Amino acid sequence: MKGLTSIIDYSIIHATIRASTPILLAAFSAVITQQANILNVGVEGIMLMSAFMAVYVSFLTGSWILAVLAAVVVGLLVAVIIGLAHLKYKGDIFAVGMTVNLLVLALTRFLLQKLLKASGSFYSAEIAPMPKIHFAFLEKSPILNSVFNNYSLLEVLIVPIVVLMWFVLYKTIWGLRTRSIGLNEEAAETAGINTYKRKFQVILLSGVIGGLAGAHLSLGYSNMFVENMTNGRGFMGVAAMFFGNANPVFTTIGCFIFGFADSIGARLQAYGFPSQFVLMIPYLSTVIILAISMISKQRKNKKMKSAVN
């Protein structure tokens, strides 16, 4: 019991929020496209390319603001490639996304060697990280200091981002028309909605959000670039999106489950648990969340069928 309380204490809140943020941004990148019935698994590649560009620009300029902007632009460019391949040239979205992921994995490794003259990882004191939010008056309380202090900028903005995403999708005309495409594309076209244009818009927005996810991963969550540093977080975001049925609020819950599992795993390793078991925990939680979402979806479909009959 003593060991359990040392693993799960008040400091786990900070660790969970910190670990959940890149997954949450990746999930929202998938949510925005899924609302238009586009499964963007390429968010993993968008994140990884943006993470590299954020570190590279931050190293060159010493400005985290320029680095984040560069990451967003790169995420947007990768999204353009995905949009053109899927919408204009009719490529299967899953195949396009996986191709982008593999391409970016190799490309970032190449650029790391050619531009930063490093192999495996790159760290420099000249990299400017995202600022940390700190309130000096909270230092008097260890609990308040741990729970509310030293979050990076995007971690602090998580709640406003969730609210904004929910509002845009469910309380605006743009969101209504986007969701109508996902529900029935032919009906949306009959109503006069330009589905091609709207789908391209959501893919571009997905690139912007994925760019923020990558920038946070390399400049907020850490302060370096490591080959394949996304480590499946994009796919975890997609799993959380399915768990939440593309609803921003329920998707956030799924992301916090992932973040909590990741934080627990990191602490278990310090208690002598095998590293293989610890590394397995996030992926095991991914399988469990997907299984729960699939079972829930099947039950919902059965209820709908029985109601119709």
Side-chain angles (χ1 to χ4, degrees), residues 71 123 141 274 282:
Y123 169 79
S141 170

Side-chain angles (χ1 to χ4, degrees), residues 287-304:
V287 173
I288 293 173
I289 283 183
L290 281 175
I292 292 172
S293 62
M294 292 288 288
I295 293 171
S296 177
K297 189 174 182 179
Q298 287 180 348
R299 288 180 177 177
K300 185 178 180 180
N301 290 338
K302 285 183 180 179
K303 287 182 180 180
M304 291 180 66

Side-chain angles (χ1 to χ4, degrees), residues 105-143:
L105 182 60
L107 181 60
T108 50
R109 182 179 294 119
F110 173 78
L111 293 175
L112 181 63
Q113 295 174 355
K114 294 300 180 181
L115 297 181
L116 296 174
K117 310 301 180 183
S119 179
S121 63
F122 177 79
Y123 169 79
S124 171
E126 296 180 31
I127 297 175
M130 287 187 185
K132 300 284 186 180
I133 308 301
H134 185 84
F135 300 100
F137 66 90
L138 294 177
E139 293 177 354
K140 297 178 182 178
S141 170
I143 296 178

Side-chain angles (χ1 to χ4, degrees), residues 215-226:
H216 174 268
L217 191 60
S218 58
L219 297 182
Y221 184 77
S222 62
N223 192 29
M224 61 189 300
F225 180 81
V226 180

Side-chain angles (χ1 to χ4, degrees), residues 57-236:
V57 172
S58 180
F59 173 69
L60 290 180
T61 66
S63 170
W64 68 269
I65 296 177
L66 291 178
V68 171
L69 290 175
V72 169
V73 170
V74 167
L76 195 60
L77 290 176
V78 177
V80 168
I81 295 172
I82 294 174
L84 288 174
H86 173 56
L87 298 176
K88 185 174 182 178
Y89 298 106
K90 308 301 179 184
D92 179 80
I93 185 60
F94 187 83
V96 170
M98 291 304 296
T99 301
V100 166
N101 293 339
L102 294 173
L103 176 63
V104 168
L105 182 60
L107 181 60
T108 50
R109 182 179 294 119
F110 173 78
L111 293 175
L112 181 63
Q113 295 174 355
K114 294 300 180 181
L115 297 181
L116 296 174
K117 310 301 180 183
S119 179
S121 63
F122 177 79
Y123 169 79
S124 171
E126 296 180 31
I127 297 175
M130 287 187 185
K132 300 284 186 180
I133 308 301
H134 185 84
F135 300 100
F137 66 90
L138 294 177
E139 293 177 354
K140 297 178 182 178
S141 170
I143 296 178
L144 293 178
N145 185 54
S146 173
V147 174
F148 295 106
N149 263 343
N150 300 318
Y151 289 103
S152 73
L153 183 62
L154 285 175
E155 290 164 357
V156 172
L157 294 176
I158 281 301
V159 173
I161 289 172
V162 173
V163 173
L164 178 63
M165 180 69 73
W166 175 85
F167 180 82
V168 169
L169 289 176
Y170 294 99
K171 297 297 180 180
T172 65
I173 295 176
W174 187 91
L176 174 64
R177 291 177 176 174
T178 300
R179 289 186 293 115
S180 69
I181 294 173
L183 293 172
N184 193 321
E185 185 173 345
E186 292 182 358
E189 288 181 346
T190 303
I193 299 173
N194 188 331
T195 57
Y196 178 89
K197 180 180 177 181
R198 186 56 56 91
K199 284 185 173 183
F200 221 120
Q201 286 178 357
V202 296
I203 291 176
L204 294 181
L205 284 173
S206 177
V208 170
I209 300 171
L212 288 174
H216 174 268
L217 191 60
S218 58
L219 297 182
Y221 184 77
S222 62
N223 192 29
M224 61 189 300
F225 180 81
V226 180
E227 288 184 11
N228 194 28
M229 71 183 302
T230 48
N231 198 26
R233 287 182 175 86
F235 296 115
M236 291 179 190

